[in-house]
Amino acid sequence: MMRVAVAMSGGVDSSVAAALLRDRGWEVVGLSMNLGGPGAGGTDRRCCGGRDLLDARAVASRLGIPYYALDFHADFRREVLRPFADDYLRGRTPSPCILCNSELKFRRLQTAARRLGASHLATGHYARMMRDESSGRFRLFQGADRGKDQSYFLFNLGQEQLASLLLPLGDYTKAEVRRLAGEWRLPVAAKAESQDLCFAPSGDYRRVIQAVAPGRSRKPGDIVDRDGRVLGRHDGLEGFTVGQRRGLGVAAEAPLFVVALDPAGNRVIVGGRAEAGRRGLVADRVNWIPFPDPPARVEVEARIRSRHPGAAAVVRPGPGRTARVEFRSPQTGVAPGQAVVFFRRDEVLGGGWIREVY
Amino acid sequence: MLRFSATVGRSWSAEPTVKRIYLDHNATTPQAPEVGQAMQPFFTSEFANPSSIHLDGQRVRHRLEEARAEVAAFLGGETDEIVFTGGGTESVNLAILGVARLRPGGHVVTTAIEHPAGLEACRQLEAEGHPVTYVPPGPDGAIDPDGVIAAIRPETVLVSVMHSNNETGVLQPVGPVGRECRRRGIPFHSDAVQSAGKTELRAKEVPADLLSIAAHKFYGPKGVGALYVRRGVRIRSLHPGGGQEDGRRAGTEPVALAVGMARACALARRLPFRYREWVGPLRDRLERGIRERLPGTRVSGANAPRLPNTASIRFPGMRAEEFLIRLDLEGFAASAGTACASGTPRPSHVLRAMGFGPAAVRQTVRFSLGVGNQPAEIDHLLDLLPALVGELRRGMPASAAAGSGSRRRWLG
């Protein structure tokens, strides 16, 4: 029997993933990453906090599989929380879930799974993978449930990581997964979804930043327009994201958007809708999945946020794993620090991190 | 597409598919069959409350007091010096809180390597206004008795030093400390939970005024322990109630468990001999075998006197957490530090107190053997070890299989 480790978060998705694999005859071992510890953001409801580990354990017990919770709190702090805080404080908008995937789940956890004798690590992501017979490369696709698709969060994975990954939920819809969980009477069948960041319950990410980088946040500064005219005051750069409309506290005739963040001057720069549009961006640390070396020019649907519908764009790879991405029509809310993921039909071609916008 | 079999949804199977080899006796021991037999009547026909005035109660009372006498004999004490408790933690709590709370603000001396039962009780005392001194161990895991004695002040009301440490097995120098405390008239408690049954333990010879033991560490049932309280030493009970156990532990006595404990004590008469002559050589065989196959591994507390069954071993270049899981999946039960409710091992405060850096703590595994272990089991582990450790250090899979997770062929 082949042994597979399943990353169990205590949620319905990873629980059903484990059940499906067990049903198919794999020797399943449940693994959780214990991210908790002082200053981890201390959640007791969402992913990987104390309550969720107990749920994962209960599911494992119901399925009759071994279950272990590994101590990841130092790695979490180093690979996810610190960059999260640093990014915000530098006027960028981070994507901690993507980092958690590529650095914790599909690096440390996947390595641990191998060391435990498992050939693969499986997760409950709604995404699909296949191996291209001609190139021998693994390719990543959206899951059957387009509304739940999570392939965006996996753009960063290398071939080695994809090779030992299993995605049992790729062919299923969320509704089907919930139904299966109910039929199998899994303890988490009716559990609520985690909408927020797993380490910031009720969305209070600023408190996490304060805990991780004490003394560096909550520095008041000016809100200015593109000409530098002061329109108001803000209470900390980390409270803002490019494209944001709400919470500016500035009265104006036309709606104002955050157009840019200036960490050097500690300023939030706002503008009207016309000024908020961006022609393109430069991405770095670009990862390509179906091909080792990208062509000179790729036409894609570029998604600049996980819930972004995608914008037609042309990608021109540059030196040092960078790429210029030019949108066919201007886009708002292009935030440095976020990931830009390149889709072609339902395939994830790759993506990178937004370094600058223009 | 959605075919699922009846096997999913089955609850935790009691039947392991790999033969299990148990090397975690310091965590708990298997209950001896005679212990279960001795307890049976008290779960069935002998159910009365030992405090009742009727004959049914009197009969049970008689058995309970017989059990108490057995435990007293085991510890070399008198029957009125034995309090039945709910286990080792309760005994330790009762000793420490029970003595110190009679003298508000009194100073307590203990060590940094005590079991959490003792440490948390002392932290509780600090919260109640008692100053506490935690004496650190030397790098070999043994407390320096002079260090403990030097920490005693005029206002010290209790000294508590464990008899042997559960993680390293190191025997602590309770003799000099106990004698000094006796000389100064300060009550001395020793947490002997790990020592009972594994090594000679006589309250008067320690010498201790209070001694804590737990039945499940020497092949008795879980849920019962005892506190030896020398005549003349007063303690305040933890829980108010009906005055049982001479006012020291309220609540209807756990007769069945106490009888089980007594049977375990009777059986344990010969245990120190068995541990020395049978288990000790197995432990030495394990340590020698590991050292030979994996140079670079180190035994913690090797230079100090230890319990014959404990091997705390550091494996450089490895994560103990992963090692334990891998061993578990291969059929071997061992441990490291203490576990929290979710199953994540907590880093060992004992090893840290001994000067281990965080990395070294994460590399340390504890094997604790019992009278049921066999040489073949040790050899089986030794045979597996080099390959296992090799894989864990390199991060290489045993079988590297590539393949897509999807059952379907996809169009590109």
Short mmCIF file of all heavy atoms in Angstrom, two decimals, chain B residues 82-133:
data_model
loop_
_atom_site.label_atom_id
_atom_site.label_comp_id
_atom_site.label_asym_id
_atom_site.label_seq_id
_atom_site.Cartn_x
_atom_site.Cartn_y
_atom_site.Cartn_z
N ILE B 82 -0.53 6.90 54.75
CA ILE B 82 -0.84 6.77 53.33
C ILE B 82 -2.16 7.43 52.99
O ILE B 82 -3.20 7.13 53.59
CB ILE B 82 -0.92 5.28 52.92
CG1 ILE B 82 0.40 4.58 53.19
CG2 ILE B 82 -1.31 5.15 51.44
CD1 ILE B 82 1.58 5.11 52.37
N VAL B 83 -2.13 8.35 52.02
CA VAL B 83 -3.36 8.97 51.52
C VAL B 83 -3.55 8.49 50.08
O VAL B 83 -2.65 8.64 49.25
CB VAL B 83 -3.24 10.51 51.51
CG1 VAL B 83 -4.52 11.15 50.97
CG2 VAL B 83 -2.91 11.02 52.90
N PHE B 84 -4.71 7.92 49.77
CA PHE B 84 -4.99 7.55 48.39
C PHE B 84 -5.42 8.80 47.63
O PHE B 84 -6.24 9.60 48.12
CB PHE B 84 -6.10 6.50 48.30
CG PHE B 84 -5.64 5.12 48.66
CD1 PHE B 84 -6.14 4.47 49.78
CD2 PHE B 84 -4.70 4.47 47.88
CE1 PHE B 84 -5.71 3.18 50.12
CE2 PHE B 84 -4.27 3.18 48.21
CZ PHE B 84 -4.76 2.54 49.33
N THR B 85 -4.85 8.97 46.45
CA THR B 85 -5.21 10.13 45.63
C THR B 85 -5.63 9.65 44.24
O THR B 85 -5.68 8.45 43.98
CB THR B 85 -4.01 11.08 45.45
OG1 THR B 85 -3.01 10.39 44.68
CG2 THR B 85 -3.44 11.50 46.80
N GLY B 86 -5.90 10.61 43.38
CA GLY B 86 -6.30 10.28 42.00
C GLY B 86 -5.13 10.08 41.06
O GLY B 86 -5.33 9.95 39.85
N GLY B 87 -3.91 10.08 41.59
CA GLY B 87 -2.78 9.86 40.68
C GLY B 87 -1.57 10.67 41.11
O GLY B 87 -1.57 11.35 42.14
N GLY B 88 -0.53 10.59 40.32
CA GLY B 88 0.73 11.26 40.65
C GLY B 88 0.59 12.76 40.74
O GLY B 88 1.09 13.40 41.68
N THR B 89 -0.10 13.35 39.78
CA THR B 89 -0.25 14.80 39.78
C THR B 89 -0.97 15.28 41.03
O THR B 89 -0.56 16.26 41.66
CB THR B 89 -1.00 15.25 38.52
OG1 THR B 89 -0.18 14.98 37.38
CG2 THR B 89 -1.30 16.74 38.57
N GLU B 90 -2.04 14.57 41.39
CA GLU B 90 -2.76 15.00 42.58
C GLU B 90 -1.89 14.84 43.83
O GLU B 90 -1.90 15.71 44.71
CB GLU B 90 -4.07 14.22 42.75
CG GLU B 90 -4.92 14.81 43.87
CD GLU B 90 -6.10 13.95 44.25
OE1 GLU B 90 -6.62 13.22 43.40
OE2 GLU B 90 -6.51 14.03 45.43
N SER B 91 -1.13 13.76 43.90
CA SER B 91 -0.26 13.57 45.06
C SER B 91 0.74 14.70 45.18
O SER B 91 0.94 15.28 46.25
CB SER B 91 0.50 12.24 44.95
OG SER B 91 -0.38 11.15 45.01
N VAL B 92 1.37 15.04 44.07
CA VAL B 92 2.37 16.12 44.08
C VAL B 92 1.70 17.45 44.45
O VAL B 92 2.22 18.21 45.26
CB VAL B 92 3.06 16.21 42.70
CG1 VAL B 92 3.89 17.48 42.59
CG2 VAL B 92 3.92 14.98 42.46
N ASN B 93 0.55 17.71 43.84
CA ASN B 93 -0.18 18.94 44.17
C ASN B 93 -0.52 18.98 45.66
O ASN B 93 -0.36 20.00 46.33
CB ASN B 93 -1.50 18.99 43.38
CG ASN B 93 -1.35 19.50 41.96
OD1 ASN B 93 -2.33 19.78 41.32
ND2 ASN B 93 -0.13 19.64 41.50
N LEU B 94 -1.00 17.86 46.17
CA LEU B 94 -1.43 17.81 47.57
C LEU B 94 -0.25 18.06 48.48
O LEU B 94 -0.35 18.79 49.46
CB LEU B 94 -2.07 16.45 47.86
CG LEU B 94 -2.55 16.19 49.29
CD1 LEU B 94 -3.57 17.25 49.72
CD2 LEU B 94 -3.14 14.79 49.41
N ALA B 95 0.89 17.47 48.15
CA ALA B 95 2.07 17.65 48.99
C ALA B 95 2.50 19.11 49.00
O ALA B 95 2.67 19.72 50.05
CB ALA B 95 3.21 16.76 48.49
N ILE B 96 2.66 19.66 47.81
CA ILE B 96 3.23 21.01 47.72
C ILE B 96 2.25 22.07 48.20
O ILE B 96 2.56 22.89 49.07
CB ILE B 96 3.68 21.28 46.26
CG1 ILE B 96 4.87 20.37 45.91
CG2 ILE B 96 4.06 22.75 46.08
CD1 ILE B 96 5.32 20.44 44.47
N LEU B 97 1.06 22.05 47.64
CA LEU B 97 0.07 23.04 48.06
C LEU B 97 -0.39 22.78 49.49
O LEU B 97 -0.63 23.72 50.26
CB LEU B 97 -1.14 23.01 47.11
CG LEU B 97 -0.83 23.34 45.65
CD1 LEU B 97 -2.06 23.09 44.78
CD2 LEU B 97 -0.36 24.77 45.50
N GLY B 98 -0.48 21.51 49.82
CA GLY B 98 -0.99 21.15 51.15
C GLY B 98 -0.09 21.60 52.28
O GLY B 98 -0.56 21.99 53.35
N VAL B 99 1.22 21.57 52.06
CA VAL B 99 2.16 22.01 53.10
C VAL B 99 2.30 23.52 53.07
O VAL B 99 2.19 24.20 54.10
CB VAL B 99 3.54 21.34 52.90
CG1 VAL B 99 4.60 22.02 53.75
CG2 VAL B 99 3.46 19.86 53.23
N ALA B 100 2.54 24.08 51.90
CA ALA B 100 2.85 25.51 51.82
C ALA B 100 1.68 26.38 52.24
O ALA B 100 1.87 27.43 52.86
CB ALA B 100 3.30 25.87 50.41
N ARG B 101 0.48 25.97 51.91
CA ARG B 101 -0.68 26.82 52.22
C ARG B 101 -0.95 26.93 53.71
O ARG B 101 -1.71 27.80 54.14
CB ARG B 101 -1.92 26.31 51.50
CG ARG B 101 -1.97 26.74 50.03
CD ARG B 101 -3.16 26.14 49.33
NE ARG B 101 -3.27 26.64 47.97
CZ ARG B 101 -3.96 26.02 47.01
NH1 ARG B 101 -4.57 24.88 47.29
NH2 ARG B 101 -4.04 26.53 45.81
N LEU B 102 -0.34 26.07 54.50
CA LEU B 102 -0.50 26.20 55.95
C LEU B 102 0.36 27.34 56.48
O LEU B 102 0.19 27.76 57.62
CB LEU B 102 -0.10 24.89 56.64
CG LEU B 102 -1.10 23.75 56.49
CD1 LEU B 102 -0.52 22.48 57.10
CD2 LEU B 102 -2.42 24.10 57.17
N ARG B 103 1.29 27.81 55.66
CA ARG B 103 2.17 28.89 56.11
C ARG B 103 2.21 29.97 55.04
O ARG B 103 3.11 30.00 54.19
CB ARG B 103 3.57 28.36 56.36
CG ARG B 103 3.61 27.38 57.53
CD ARG B 103 5.00 26.77 57.69
NE ARG B 103 5.00 25.72 58.68
CZ ARG B 103 4.58 24.48 58.48
NH1 ARG B 103 4.09 24.15 57.29
NH2 ARG B 103 4.62 23.59 59.44
N PRO B 104 1.23 30.86 55.07
CA PRO B 104 1.14 31.88 54.01
C PRO B 104 2.42 32.68 53.89
O PRO B 104 3.03 33.06 54.90
CB PRO B 104 -0.01 32.78 54.49
CG PRO B 104 -0.82 31.93 55.41
CD PRO B 104 0.14 30.97 56.05
N GLY B 105 2.82 32.91 52.64
CA GLY B 105 4.02 33.70 52.41
C GLY B 105 5.31 32.95 52.60
O GLY B 105 6.39 33.49 52.37
N GLY B 106 5.21 31.69 52.99
CA GLY B 106 6.43 30.91 53.23
C GLY B 106 7.17 30.63 51.94
O GLY B 106 6.58 30.51 50.87
N HIS B 107 8.49 30.49 52.05
CA HIS B 107 9.36 30.28 50.90
C HIS B 107 9.45 28.79 50.57
O HIS B 107 9.44 27.93 51.46
CB HIS B 107 10.74 30.85 51.21
CG HIS B 107 11.79 30.56 50.17
ND1 HIS B 107 12.88 29.77 50.45
CD2 HIS B 107 11.89 30.94 48.89
CE1 HIS B 107 13.64 29.68 49.37
NE2 HIS B 107 13.07 30.38 48.40
N VAL B 108 9.53 28.49 49.27
CA VAL B 108 9.62 27.10 48.83
C VAL B 108 10.86 26.93 47.97
O VAL B 108 11.17 27.78 47.14
CB VAL B 108 8.36 26.71 48.01
CG1 VAL B 108 8.51 25.32 47.40
CG2 VAL B 108 7.12 26.78 48.89
N VAL B 109 11.58 25.83 48.16
CA VAL B 109 12.72 25.51 47.30
C VAL B 109 12.36 24.27 46.49
O VAL B 109 11.92 23.26 47.03
CB VAL B 109 13.99 25.21 48.14
CG1 VAL B 109 15.15 24.86 47.20
CG2 VAL B 109 14.34 26.40 49.01
N THR B 110 12.53 24.37 45.19
CA THR B 110 12.31 23.21 44.33
C THR B 110 13.33 23.27 43.20
O THR B 110 14.29 24.04 43.26
CB THR B 110 10.86 23.16 43.83
OG1 THR B 110 10.65 21.92 43.15
CG2 THR B 110 10.56 24.31 42.88
N THR B 111 13.15 22.44 42.16
CA THR B 111 14.13 22.42 41.08
C THR B 111 13.47 22.79 39.76
O THR B 111 12.25 22.78 39.63
CB THR B 111 14.77 21.02 40.91
OG1 THR B 111 13.88 20.18 40.17
CG2 THR B 111 15.08 20.39 42.25
N ALA B 112 14.30 23.10 38.80
CA ALA B 112 13.80 23.49 37.48
C ALA B 112 13.42 22.29 36.63
O ALA B 112 12.86 22.44 35.55
CB ALA B 112 14.85 24.32 36.75
N ILE B 113 13.72 21.08 37.12
CA ILE B 113 13.46 19.91 36.29
C ILE B 113 12.29 19.08 36.79
O ILE B 113 12.06 17.96 36.33
CB ILE B 113 14.71 18.99 36.20
CG1 ILE B 113 15.14 18.54 37.60
CG2 ILE B 113 15.84 19.72 35.49
CD1 ILE B 113 16.21 17.46 37.55
N GLU B 114 11.52 19.64 37.75
CA GLU B 114 10.36 18.90 38.24
C GLU B 114 9.36 18.68 37.12
O GLU B 114 9.31 19.42 36.14
CB GLU B 114 9.68 19.68 39.37
CG GLU B 114 10.57 19.96 40.58
CD GLU B 114 10.97 18.69 41.32
OE1 GLU B 114 10.07 17.91 41.68
OE2 GLU B 114 12.18 18.51 41.56
N HIS B 115 8.54 17.67 37.33
CA HIS B 115 7.42 17.41 36.42
C HIS B 115 6.46 18.60 36.48
O HIS B 115 6.39 19.27 37.51
CB HIS B 115 6.71 16.14 36.89
CG HIS B 115 5.61 15.68 35.99
ND1 HIS B 115 4.32 16.18 36.08
CD2 HIS B 115 5.60 14.80 34.96
CE1 HIS B 115 3.57 15.59 35.16
NE2 HIS B 115 4.31 14.77 34.47
N PRO B 116 5.76 18.89 35.38
CA PRO B 116 4.81 20.01 35.41
C PRO B 116 3.85 19.98 36.62
O PRO B 116 3.45 21.04 37.09
CB PRO B 116 4.03 19.84 34.11
CG PRO B 116 5.02 19.23 33.17
CD PRO B 116 5.88 18.34 34.02
N ALA B 117 3.55 18.82 37.15
CA ALA B 117 2.68 18.77 38.32
C ALA B 117 3.29 19.57 39.46
O ALA B 117 2.60 20.31 40.17
CB ALA B 117 2.46 17.32 38.76
N GLY B 118 4.59 19.44 39.64
CA GLY B 118 5.27 20.17 40.70
C GLY B 118 5.51 21.61 40.32
O GLY B 118 5.29 22.53 41.13
N LEU B 119 5.93 21.84 39.10
CA LEU B 119 6.23 23.21 38.67
C LEU B 119 4.98 24.07 38.69
O LEU B 119 5.01 25.21 39.15
CB LEU B 119 6.83 23.20 37.27
CG LEU B 119 8.26 22.68 37.15
CD1 LEU B 119 8.68 22.69 35.68
CD2 LEU B 119 9.22 23.50 37.98
N GLU B 120 3.89 23.54 38.18
CA GLU B 120 2.66 24.34 38.15
C GLU B 120 2.13 24.60 39.55
O GLU B 120 1.59 25.66 39.83
CB GLU B 120 1.59 23.65 37.29
CG GLU B 120 1.91 23.66 35.80
CD GLU B 120 2.10 25.07 35.26
OE1 GLU B 120 1.28 25.95 35.56
OE2 GLU B 120 3.11 25.30 34.56
N ALA B 121 2.30 23.60 40.44
CA ALA B 121 1.87 23.82 41.81
C ALA B 121 2.68 24.96 42.42
O ALA B 121 2.14 25.83 43.12
CB ALA B 121 2.04 22.55 42.64
N CYS B 122 3.98 24.98 42.14
CA CYS B 122 4.82 26.06 42.67
C CYS B 122 4.46 27.39 42.05
O CYS B 122 4.48 28.43 42.72
CB CYS B 122 6.30 25.73 42.45
SG CYS B 122 6.87 24.41 43.54
N ARG B 123 4.13 27.40 40.75
CA ARG B 123 3.72 28.66 40.13
C ARG B 123 2.43 29.16 40.76
O ARG B 123 2.25 30.36 40.96
CB ARG B 123 3.52 28.46 38.63
CG ARG B 123 4.80 28.04 37.96
CD ARG B 123 5.13 28.68 36.65
NE ARG B 123 6.49 28.31 36.29
CZ ARG B 123 6.81 27.25 35.55
NH1 ARG B 123 5.85 26.47 35.08
NH2 ARG B 123 8.07 26.97 35.28
N GLN B 124 1.56 28.21 41.08
CA GLN B 124 0.33 28.59 41.77
C GLN B 124 0.66 29.22 43.12
O GLN B 124 0.07 30.23 43.51
CB GLN B 124 -0.55 27.34 41.96
CG GLN B 124 -1.83 27.58 42.73
CD GLN B 124 -2.77 28.51 42.01
OE1 GLN B 124 -2.74 28.63 40.79
NE2 GLN B 124 -3.60 29.21 42.77
N LEU B 125 1.61 28.65 43.82
CA LEU B 125 2.01 29.22 45.11
C LEU B 125 2.57 30.62 44.95
O LEU B 125 2.31 31.51 45.76
CB LEU B 125 3.05 28.33 45.79
CG LEU B 125 2.54 27.01 46.37
CD1 LEU B 125 3.71 26.22 46.96
CD2 LEU B 125 1.47 27.25 47.44
N GLU B 126 3.34 30.82 43.89
CA GLU B 126 3.87 32.17 43.66
C GLU B 126 2.74 33.16 43.47
O GLU B 126 2.77 34.29 43.99
CB GLU B 126 4.78 32.18 42.42
CG GLU B 126 6.14 31.53 42.66
CD GLU B 126 7.05 31.60 41.46
OE1 GLU B 126 6.73 30.97 40.43
OE2 GLU B 126 8.08 32.29 41.55
N ALA B 127 1.72 32.72 42.74
CA ALA B 127 0.57 33.59 42.54
C ALA B 127 -0.14 33.86 43.86
O ALA B 127 -0.84 34.87 44.01
CB ALA B 127 -0.40 32.95 41.55
N GLU B 128 0.04 32.97 44.83
CA GLU B 128 -0.60 33.15 46.13
C GLU B 128 0.32 33.84 47.13
O GLU B 128 0.03 33.86 48.33
CB GLU B 128 -1.05 31.79 46.68
CG GLU B 128 -2.18 31.17 45.84
CD GLU B 128 -2.52 29.75 46.26
OE1 GLU B 128 -2.04 29.30 47.33
OE2 GLU B 128 -3.26 29.08 45.51
N GLY B 129 1.47 34.33 46.63
CA GLY B 129 2.32 35.13 47.51
C GLY B 129 3.48 34.39 48.15
O GLY B 129 4.12 34.91 49.05
N HIS B 130 3.75 33.16 47.69
CA HIS B 130 4.90 32.44 48.23
C HIS B 130 6.09 32.64 47.31
O HIS B 130 6.00 32.34 46.12
CB HIS B 130 4.62 30.93 48.31
CG HIS B 130 3.51 30.55 49.23
ND1 HIS B 130 3.76 30.06 50.51
CD2 HIS B 130 2.18 30.58 49.08
CE1 HIS B 130 2.59 29.80 51.09
NE2 HIS B 130 1.61 30.11 50.24
N PRO B 131 7.23 33.11 47.81
CA PRO B 131 8.43 33.11 46.96
C PRO B 131 8.89 31.67 46.74
O PRO B 131 8.82 30.84 47.65
CB PRO B 131 9.47 33.90 47.77
CG PRO B 131 8.93 34.02 49.15
CD PRO B 131 7.48 33.67 49.14
N VAL B 132 9.32 31.38 45.49
CA VAL B 132 9.79 30.04 45.16
C VAL B 132 11.14 30.14 44.47
O VAL B 132 11.35 30.99 43.62
CB VAL B 132 8.81 29.31 44.21
CG1 VAL B 132 9.35 27.93 43.83
CG2 VAL B 132 7.44 29.20 44.85
N THR B 133 12.06 29.29 44.87
CA THR B 133 13.36 29.21 44.20
C THR B 133 13.42 27.91 43.41
O THR B 133 13.18 26.83 43.95
CB THR B 133 14.52 29.22 45.23
OG1 THR B 133 14.43 30.40 46.02
CG2 THR B 133 15.86 29.18 44.52
#
